[in-house]
Amino acid sequence: MTQVEKRWAHPLADAATLGEAPLAGRLLGEDWVLWRVAAQRPWAAPDRCPHRGTRLSLGRVCDGQIECPYHG
């Protein structure tokens, strides 16, 4: 994988696949979590809590924000 590949947008999931719960995905060797924010807009972030290191995709969505399964 080159740095050029990381600069482009890549589809990770179909919009119909993304429901109410967080969705885990893997792209270019990295783990991502997808969820819907305000106005049902899809959003993505690295699938790792910066505090505990756990997968955020194991948590839940609360008021459009991803919530860590360990400490909210």
Side-chain angles (χ1 to χ4, degrees), residues 37-57:
V37 296
Q40 295 298 307
R41 193 176 74 214
W43 201 257
D47 193 7
R48 183 179 177 276
C49 172
H51 304 107
R52 297 283 185 178
T54 190
R55 296 179 63 120
L56 291 172
S57 58

mmCIF file with all atom_site columns, all heavy atoms in Angstrom, residues 37-57:
data_model
loop_
_atom_site.group_PDB
_atom_site.id
_atom_site.type_symbol
_atom_site.label_atom_id
_atom_site.label_alt_id
_atom_site.label_comp_id
_atom_site.label_asym_id
_atom_site.label_entity_id
_atom_site.label_seq_id
_atom_site.pdbx_PDB_ins_code
_atom_site.Cartn_x
_atom_site.Cartn_y
_atom_site.Cartn_z
_atom_site.occupancy
_atom_site.B_iso_or_equiv
_atom_site.pdbx_formal_charge
_atom_site.auth_seq_id
_atom_site.auth_comp_id
_atom_site.auth_asym_id
_atom_site.auth_atom_id
_atom_site.pdbx_PDB_model_num
ATOM 1   N N   . VAL A 1 37 ? -24.391 9.917  12.141 1.00 0.00 ? 37 VAL A N   1
ATOM 2   C CA  . VAL A 1 37 ? -24.419 11.086 13.017 1.00 0.00 ? 37 VAL A CA  1
ATOM 3   C C   . VAL A 1 37 ? -25.715 11.858 12.752 1.00 0.00 ? 37 VAL A C   1
ATOM 4   O O   . VAL A 1 37 ? -26.628 11.340 12.123 1.00 0.00 ? 37 VAL A O   1
ATOM 5   C CB  . VAL A 1 37 ? -23.170 11.976 12.807 1.00 0.00 ? 37 VAL A CB  1
ATOM 6   C CG1 . VAL A 1 37 ? -21.913 11.227 13.208 1.00 0.00 ? 37 VAL A CG1 1
ATOM 7   C CG2 . VAL A 1 37 ? -23.058 12.455 11.385 1.00 0.00 ? 37 VAL A CG2 1
ATOM 8   N N   . ALA A 1 38 ? -25.766 13.081 13.191 1.00 0.00 ? 38 ALA A N   1
ATOM 9   C CA  . ALA A 1 38 ? -26.955 13.923 13.014 1.00 0.00 ? 38 ALA A CA  1
ATOM 10  C C   . ALA A 1 38 ? -27.428 13.901 11.566 1.00 0.00 ? 38 ALA A C   1
ATOM 11  O O   . ALA A 1 38 ? -26.623 13.833 10.635 1.00 0.00 ? 38 ALA A O   1
ATOM 12  C CB  . ALA A 1 38 ? -26.640 15.348 13.441 1.00 0.00 ? 38 ALA A CB  1
ATOM 13  N N   . ALA A 1 39 ? -28.742 13.938 11.409 1.00 0.00 ? 39 ALA A N   1
ATOM 14  C CA  . ALA A 1 39 ? -29.389 13.926 10.087 1.00 0.00 ? 39 ALA A CA  1
ATOM 15  C C   . ALA A 1 39 ? -29.078 12.640 9.315  1.00 0.00 ? 39 ALA A C   1
ATOM 16  O O   . ALA A 1 39 ? -29.097 12.627 8.089  1.00 0.00 ? 39 ALA A O   1
ATOM 17  C CB  . ALA A 1 39 ? -29.000 15.148 9.265  1.00 0.00 ? 39 ALA A CB  1
ATOM 18  N N   . GLN A 1 40 ? -28.728 11.567 10.055 1.00 0.00 ? 40 GLN A N   1
ATOM 19  C CA  . GLN A 1 40 ? -28.483 10.251 9.463  1.00 0.00 ? 40 GLN A CA  1
ATOM 20  C C   . GLN A 1 40 ? -27.308 10.215 8.496  1.00 0.00 ? 40 GLN A C   1
ATOM 21  O O   . GLN A 1 40 ? -27.198 9.331  7.658  1.00 0.00 ? 40 GLN A O   1
ATOM 22  C CB  . GLN A 1 40 ? -29.755 9.723  8.781  1.00 0.00 ? 40 GLN A CB  1
ATOM 23  C CG  . GLN A 1 40 ? -30.888 9.464  9.739  1.00 0.00 ? 40 GLN A CG  1
ATOM 24  C CD  . GLN A 1 40 ? -30.515 8.385  10.746 1.00 0.00 ? 40 GLN A CD  1
ATOM 25  O OE1 . GLN A 1 40 ? -30.103 7.300  10.386 1.00 0.00 ? 40 GLN A OE1 1
ATOM 26  N NE2 . GLN A 1 40 ? -30.660 8.687  12.020 1.00 0.00 ? 40 GLN A NE2 1
ATOM 27  N N   . ARG A 1 41 ? -26.400 11.169 8.585  1.00 0.00 ? 41 ARG A N   1
ATOM 28  C CA  . ARG A 1 41 ? -25.213 11.202 7.729  1.00 0.00 ? 41 ARG A CA  1
ATOM 29  C C   . ARG A 1 41 ? -24.210 10.146 8.188  1.00 0.00 ? 41 ARG A C   1
ATOM 30  O O   . ARG A 1 41 ? -23.924 10.044 9.386  1.00 0.00 ? 41 ARG A O   1
ATOM 31  C CB  . ARG A 1 41 ? -24.598 12.600 7.799  1.00 0.00 ? 41 ARG A CB  1
ATOM 32  C CG  . ARG A 1 41 ? -23.560 12.847 6.722  1.00 0.00 ? 41 ARG A CG  1
ATOM 33  C CD  . ARG A 1 41 ? -23.065 14.259 6.775  1.00 0.00 ? 41 ARG A CD  1
ATOM 34  N NE  . ARG A 1 41 ? -22.187 14.373 7.936  1.00 0.00 ? 41 ARG A NE  1
ATOM 35  C CZ  . ARG A 1 41 ? -22.087 15.456 8.670  1.00 0.00 ? 41 ARG A CZ  1
ATOM 36  N NH1 . ARG A 1 41 ? -22.807 16.517 8.418  1.00 0.00 ? 41 ARG A NH1 1
ATOM 37  N NH2 . ARG A 1 41 ? -21.259 15.491 9.705  1.00 0.00 ? 41 ARG A NH2 1
ATOM 38  N N   . PRO A 1 42 ? -23.665 9.347  7.272  1.00 0.00 ? 42 PRO A N   1
ATOM 39  C CA  . PRO A 1 42 ? -22.675 8.338  7.672  1.00 0.00 ? 42 PRO A CA  1
ATOM 40  C C   . PRO A 1 42 ? -21.357 8.983  8.105  1.00 0.00 ? 42 PRO A C   1
ATOM 41  O O   . PRO A 1 42 ? -20.976 10.034 7.585  1.00 0.00 ? 42 PRO A O   1
ATOM 42  C CB  . PRO A 1 42 ? -22.489 7.494  6.412  1.00 0.00 ? 42 PRO A CB  1
ATOM 43  C CG  . PRO A 1 42 ? -23.052 8.282  5.301  1.00 0.00 ? 42 PRO A CG  1
ATOM 44  C CD  . PRO A 1 42 ? -23.976 9.300  5.857  1.00 0.00 ? 42 PRO A CD  1
ATOM 45  N N   . TRP A 1 43 ? -20.687 8.332  9.046  1.00 0.00 ? 43 TRP A N   1
ATOM 46  C CA  . TRP A 1 43 ? -19.426 8.835  9.571  1.00 0.00 ? 43 TRP A CA  1
ATOM 47  C C   . TRP A 1 43 ? -18.507 7.662  9.844  1.00 0.00 ? 43 TRP A C   1
ATOM 48  O O   . TRP A 1 43 ? -18.956 6.558  10.105 1.00 0.00 ? 43 TRP A O   1
ATOM 49  C CB  . TRP A 1 43 ? -19.684 9.611  10.869 1.00 0.00 ? 43 TRP A CB  1
ATOM 50  C CG  . TRP A 1 43 ? -18.592 10.557 11.212 1.00 0.00 ? 43 TRP A CG  1
ATOM 51  C CD1 . TRP A 1 43 ? -17.631 10.377 12.156 1.00 0.00 ? 43 TRP A CD1 1
ATOM 52  C CD2 . TRP A 1 43 ? -18.350 11.822 10.632 1.00 0.00 ? 43 TRP A CD2 1
ATOM 53  N NE1 . TRP A 1 43 ? -16.802 11.463 12.207 1.00 0.00 ? 43 TRP A NE1 1
ATOM 54  C CE2 . TRP A 1 43 ? -17.219 12.376 11.266 1.00 0.00 ? 43 TRP A CE2 1
ATOM 55  C CE3 . TRP A 1 43 ? -18.973 12.564 9.633  1.00 0.00 ? 43 TRP A CE3 1
ATOM 56  C CZ2 . TRP A 1 43 ? -16.698 13.613 10.934 1.00 0.00 ? 43 TRP A CZ2 1
ATOM 57  C CZ3 . TRP A 1 43 ? -18.457 13.797 9.313  1.00 0.00 ? 43 TRP A CZ3 1
ATOM 58  C CH2 . TRP A 1 43 ? -17.335 14.313 9.956  1.00 0.00 ? 43 TRP A CH2 1
ATOM 59  N N   . ALA A 1 44 ? -17.203 7.879  9.808  1.00 0.00 ? 44 ALA A N   1
ATOM 60  C CA  . ALA A 1 44 ? -16.229 6.816  10.065 1.00 0.00 ? 44 ALA A CA  1
ATOM 61  C C   . ALA A 1 44 ? -15.094 7.338  10.933 1.00 0.00 ? 44 ALA A C   1
ATOM 62  O O   . ALA A 1 44 ? -14.758 8.523  10.891 1.00 0.00 ? 44 ALA A O   1
ATOM 63  C CB  . ALA A 1 44 ? -15.667 6.286  8.746  1.00 0.00 ? 44 ALA A CB  1
ATOM 64  N N   . ALA A 1 45 ? -14.516 6.438  11.714 1.00 0.00 ? 45 ALA A N   1
ATOM 65  C CA  . ALA A 1 45 ? -13.367 6.757  12.559 1.00 0.00 ? 45 ALA A CA  1
ATOM 66  C C   . ALA A 1 45 ? -12.568 5.476  12.768 1.00 0.00 ? 45 ALA A C   1
ATOM 67  O O   . ALA A 1 45 ? -13.087 4.380  12.567 1.00 0.00 ? 45 ALA A O   1
ATOM 68  C CB  . ALA A 1 45 ? -13.842 7.307  13.908 1.00 0.00 ? 45 ALA A CB  1
ATOM 69  N N   . PRO A 1 46 ? -11.315 5.611  13.193 1.00 0.00 ? 46 PRO A N   1
ATOM 70  C CA  . PRO A 1 46 ? -10.560 4.405  13.531 1.00 0.00 ? 46 PRO A CA  1
ATOM 71  C C   . PRO A 1 46 ? -11.295 3.612  14.610 1.00 0.00 ? 46 PRO A C   1
ATOM 72  O O   . PRO A 1 46 ? -11.854 4.186  15.552 1.00 0.00 ? 46 PRO A O   1
ATOM 73  C CB  . PRO A 1 46 ? -9.233  4.950  14.057 1.00 0.00 ? 46 PRO A CB  1
ATOM 74  C CG  . PRO A 1 46 ? -9.104  6.285  13.394 1.00 0.00 ? 46 PRO A CG  1
ATOM 75  C CD  . PRO A 1 46 ? -10.503 6.825  13.316 1.00 0.00 ? 46 PRO A CD  1
ATOM 76  N N   . ASP A 1 47 ? -11.318 2.300  14.472 1.00 0.00 ? 47 ASP A N   1
ATOM 77  C CA  . ASP A 1 47 ? -12.058 1.426  15.390 1.00 0.00 ? 47 ASP A CA  1
ATOM 78  C C   . ASP A 1 47 ? -11.207 1.095  16.608 1.00 0.00 ? 47 ASP A C   1
ATOM 79  O O   . ASP A 1 47 ? -10.871 -0.062 16.868 1.00 0.00 ? 47 ASP A O   1
ATOM 80  C CB  . ASP A 1 47 ? -12.508 0.158  14.672 1.00 0.00 ? 47 ASP A CB  1
ATOM 81  C CG  . ASP A 1 47 ? -13.539 -0.631 15.453 1.00 0.00 ? 47 ASP A CG  1
ATOM 82  O OD1 . ASP A 1 47 ? -14.014 -0.137 16.491 1.00 0.00 ? 47 ASP A OD1 1
ATOM 83  O OD2 . ASP A 1 47 ? -13.877 -1.746 15.013 1.00 0.00 ? 47 ASP A OD2 1
ATOM 84  N N   . ARG A 1 48 ? -10.854 2.132  17.362 1.00 0.00 ? 48 ARG A N   1
ATOM 85  C CA  . ARG A 1 48 ? -10.026 1.933  18.555 1.00 0.00 ? 48 ARG A CA  1
ATOM 86  C C   . ARG A 1 48 ? -10.253 3.088  19.521 1.00 0.00 ? 48 ARG A C   1
ATOM 87  O O   . ARG A 1 48 ? -10.093 4.244  19.164 1.00 0.00 ? 48 ARG A O   1
ATOM 88  C CB  . ARG A 1 48 ? -8.555  1.888  18.170 1.00 0.00 ? 48 ARG A CB  1
ATOM 89  C CG  . ARG A 1 48 ? -7.640  1.624  19.320 1.00 0.00 ? 48 ARG A CG  1
ATOM 90  C CD  . ARG A 1 48 ? -6.185  1.566  18.852 1.00 0.00 ? 48 ARG A CD  1
ATOM 91  N NE  . ARG A 1 48 ? -5.306  1.391  19.979 1.00 0.00 ? 48 ARG A NE  1
ATOM 92  C CZ  . ARG A 1 48 ? -4.857  2.376  20.744 1.00 0.00 ? 48 ARG A CZ  1
ATOM 93  N NH1 . ARG A 1 48 ? -5.214  3.617  20.514 1.00 0.00 ? 48 ARG A NH1 1
ATOM 94  N NH2 . ARG A 1 48 ? -4.054  2.130  21.742 1.00 0.00 ? 48 ARG A NH2 1
ATOM 95  N N   . CYS A 1 49 ? -10.614 2.762  20.738 1.00 0.00 ? 49 CYS A N   1
ATOM 96  C CA  . CYS A 1 49 ? -10.780 3.783  21.773 1.00 0.00 ? 49 CYS A CA  1
ATOM 97  C C   . CYS A 1 49 ? -9.388  4.293  22.164 1.00 0.00 ? 49 CYS A C   1
ATOM 98  O O   . CYS A 1 49 ? -8.497  3.489  22.464 1.00 0.00 ? 49 CYS A O   1
ATOM 99  C CB  . CYS A 1 49 ? -11.483 3.192  22.992 1.00 0.00 ? 49 CYS A CB  1
ATOM 100 S SG  . CYS A 1 49 ? -11.533 4.311  24.400 1.00 0.00 ? 49 CYS A SG  1
ATOM 101 N N   . PRO A 1 50 ? -9.169  5.606  22.162 1.00 0.00 ? 50 PRO A N   1
ATOM 102 C CA  . PRO A 1 50 ? -7.844  6.115  22.519 1.00 0.00 ? 50 PRO A CA  1
ATOM 103 C C   . PRO A 1 50 ? -7.502  5.916  23.999 1.00 0.00 ? 50 PRO A C   1
ATOM 104 O O   . PRO A 1 50 ? -6.337  5.971  24.368 1.00 0.00 ? 50 PRO A O   1
ATOM 105 C CB  . PRO A 1 50 ? -7.928  7.605  22.178 1.00 0.00 ? 50 PRO A CB  1
ATOM 106 C CG  . PRO A 1 50 ? -9.373  7.926  22.153 1.00 0.00 ? 50 PRO A CG  1
ATOM 107 C CD  . PRO A 1 50 ? -10.086 6.655  21.778 1.00 0.00 ? 50 PRO A CD  1
ATOM 108 N N   . HIS A 1 51 ? -8.495  5.657  24.846 1.00 0.00 ? 51 HIS A N   1
ATOM 109 C CA  . HIS A 1 51 ? -8.239  5.497  26.277 1.00 0.00 ? 51 HIS A CA  1
ATOM 110 C C   . HIS A 1 51 ? -7.974  4.043  26.666 1.00 0.00 ? 51 HIS A C   1
ATOM 111 O O   . HIS A 1 51 ? -7.045  3.757  27.414 1.00 0.00 ? 51 HIS A O   1
ATOM 112 C CB  . HIS A 1 51 ? -9.429  6.021  27.087 1.00 0.00 ? 51 HIS A CB  1
ATOM 113 C CG  . HIS A 1 51 ? -9.758  7.431  26.773 1.00 0.00 ? 51 HIS A CG  1
ATOM 114 N ND1 . HIS A 1 51 ? -10.870 7.780  26.046 1.00 0.00 ? 51 HIS A ND1 1
ATOM 115 C CD2 . HIS A 1 51 ? -9.116  8.577  27.051 1.00 0.00 ? 51 HIS A CD2 1
ATOM 116 C CE1 . HIS A 1 51 ? -10.896 9.095  25.898 1.00 0.00 ? 51 HIS A CE1 1
ATOM 117 N NE2 . HIS A 1 51 ? -9.851  9.600  26.500 1.00 0.00 ? 51 HIS A NE2 1
ATOM 118 N N   . ARG A 1 52 ? -8.817  3.137  26.177 1.00 0.00 ? 52 ARG A N   1
ATOM 119 C CA  . ARG A 1 52 ? -8.715  1.728  26.577 1.00 0.00 ? 52 ARG A CA  1
ATOM 120 C C   . ARG A 1 52 ? -8.211  0.804  25.479 1.00 0.00 ? 52 ARG A C   1
ATOM 121 O O   . ARG A 1 52 ? -7.902  -0.345 25.739 1.00 0.00 ? 52 ARG A O   1
ATOM 122 C CB  . ARG A 1 52 ? -10.080 1.216  27.042 1.00 0.00 ? 52 ARG A CB  1
ATOM 123 C CG  . ARG A 1 52 ? -10.613 1.917  28.246 1.00 0.00 ? 52 ARG A CG  1
ATOM 124 C CD  . ARG A 1 52 ? -9.902  1.410  29.466 1.00 0.00 ? 52 ARG A CD  1
ATOM 125 N NE  . ARG A 1 52 ? -10.494 2.006  30.653 1.00 0.00 ? 52 ARG A NE  1
ATOM 126 C CZ  . ARG A 1 52 ? -10.121 1.732  31.854 1.00 0.00 ? 52 ARG A CZ  1
ATOM 127 N NH1 . ARG A 1 52 ? -9.167  0.868  32.064 1.00 0.00 ? 52 ARG A NH1 1
ATOM 128 N NH2 . ARG A 1 52 ? -10.698 2.316  32.874 1.00 0.00 ? 52 ARG A NH2 1
ATOM 129 N N   . GLY A 1 53 ? -8.188  1.282  24.249 1.00 0.00 ? 53 GLY A N   1
ATOM 130 C CA  . GLY A 1 53 ? -7.706  0.464  23.151 1.00 0.00 ? 53 GLY A CA  1
ATOM 131 C C   . GLY A 1 53 ? -8.708  -0.554 22.634 1.00 0.00 ? 53 GLY A C   1
ATOM 132 O O   . GLY A 1 53 ? -8.376  -1.349 21.770 1.00 0.00 ? 53 GLY A O   1
ATOM 133 N N   . THR A 1 54 ? -9.918  -0.544 23.160 1.00 0.00 ? 54 THR A N   1
ATOM 134 C CA  . THR A 1 54 ? -10.921 -1.506 22.715 1.00 0.00 ? 54 THR A CA  1
ATOM 135 C C   . THR A 1 54 ? -11.552 -1.054 21.402 1.00 0.00 ? 54 THR A C   1
ATOM 136 O O   . THR A 1 54 ? -11.404 0.092  20.987 1.00 0.00 ? 54 THR A O   1
ATOM 137 C CB  . THR A 1 54 ? -12.012 -1.692 23.797 1.00 0.00 ? 54 THR A CB  1
ATOM 138 O OG1 . THR A 1 54 ? -12.827 -2.784 23.432 1.00 0.00 ? 54 THR A OG1 1
ATOM 139 C CG2 . THR A 1 54 ? -12.850 -0.452 23.940 1.00 0.00 ? 54 THR A CG2 1
ATOM 140 N N   . ARG A 1 55 ? -12.250 -1.951 20.764 1.00 0.00 ? 55 ARG A N   1
ATOM 141 C CA  . ARG A 1 55 ? -12.919 -1.649 19.506 1.00 0.00 ? 55 ARG A CA  1
ATOM 142 C C   . ARG A 1 55 ? -14.184 -0.835 19.768 1.00 0.00 ? 55 ARG A C   1
ATOM 143 O O   . ARG A 1 55 ? -15.072 -1.282 20.490 1.00 0.00 ? 55 ARG A O   1
ATOM 144 C CB  . ARG A 1 55 ? -13.257 -2.938 18.776 1.00 0.00 ? 55 ARG A CB  1
ATOM 145 C CG  . ARG A 1 55 ? -12.011 -3.715 18.363 1.00 0.00 ? 55 ARG A CG  1
ATOM 146 C CD  . ARG A 1 55 ? -12.407 -4.982 17.674 1.00 0.00 ? 55 ARG A CD  1
ATOM 147 N NE  . ARG A 1 55 ? -13.132 -4.653 16.469 1.00 0.00 ? 55 ARG A NE  1
ATOM 148 C CZ  . ARG A 1 55 ? -12.764 -5.000 15.236 1.00 0.00 ? 55 ARG A CZ  1
ATOM 149 N NH1 . ARG A 1 55 ? -11.689 -5.715 15.082 1.00 0.00 ? 55 ARG A NH1 1
ATOM 150 N NH2 . ARG A 1 55 ? -13.473 -4.658 14.203 1.00 0.00 ? 55 ARG A NH2 1
ATOM 151 N N   . LEU A 1 56 ? -14.265 0.341  19.191 1.00 0.00 ? 56 LEU A N   1
ATOM 152 C CA  . LEU A 1 56 ? -15.445 1.184  19.344 1.00 0.00 ? 56 LEU A CA  1
ATOM 153 C C   . LEU A 1 56 ? -16.667 0.557  18.692 1.00 0.00 ? 56 LEU A C   1
ATOM 154 O O   . LEU A 1 56 ? -17.797 0.834  19.091 1.00 0.00 ? 56 LEU A O   1
ATOM 155 C CB  . LEU A 1 56 ? -15.187 2.566  18.766 1.00 0.00 ? 56 LEU A CB  1
ATOM 156 C CG  . LEU A 1 56 ? -14.181 3.414  19.536 1.00 0.00 ? 56 LEU A CG  1
ATOM 157 C CD1 . LEU A 1 56 ? -13.867 4.692  18.764 1.00 0.00 ? 56 LEU A CD1 1
ATOM 158 C CD2 . LEU A 1 56 ? -14.687 3.724  20.925 1.00 0.00 ? 56 LEU A CD2 1
ATOM 159 N N   . SER A 1 57 ? -16.454 -0.297 17.712 1.00 0.00 ? 57 SER A N   1
ATOM 160 C CA  . SER A 1 57 ? -17.577 -0.961 17.043 1.00 0.00 ? 57 SER A CA  1
ATOM 161 C C   . SER A 1 57 ? -18.334 -1.892 17.989 1.00 0.00 ? 57 SER A C   1
ATOM 162 O O   . SER A 1 57 ? -19.452 -2.299 17.697 1.00 0.00 ? 57 SER A O   1
ATOM 163 C CB  . SER A 1 57 ? -17.096 -1.738 15.817 1.00 0.00 ? 57 SER A CB  1
ATOM 164 O OG  . SER A 1 57 ? -16.127 -2.706 16.181 1.00 0.00 ? 57 SER A OG  1
#
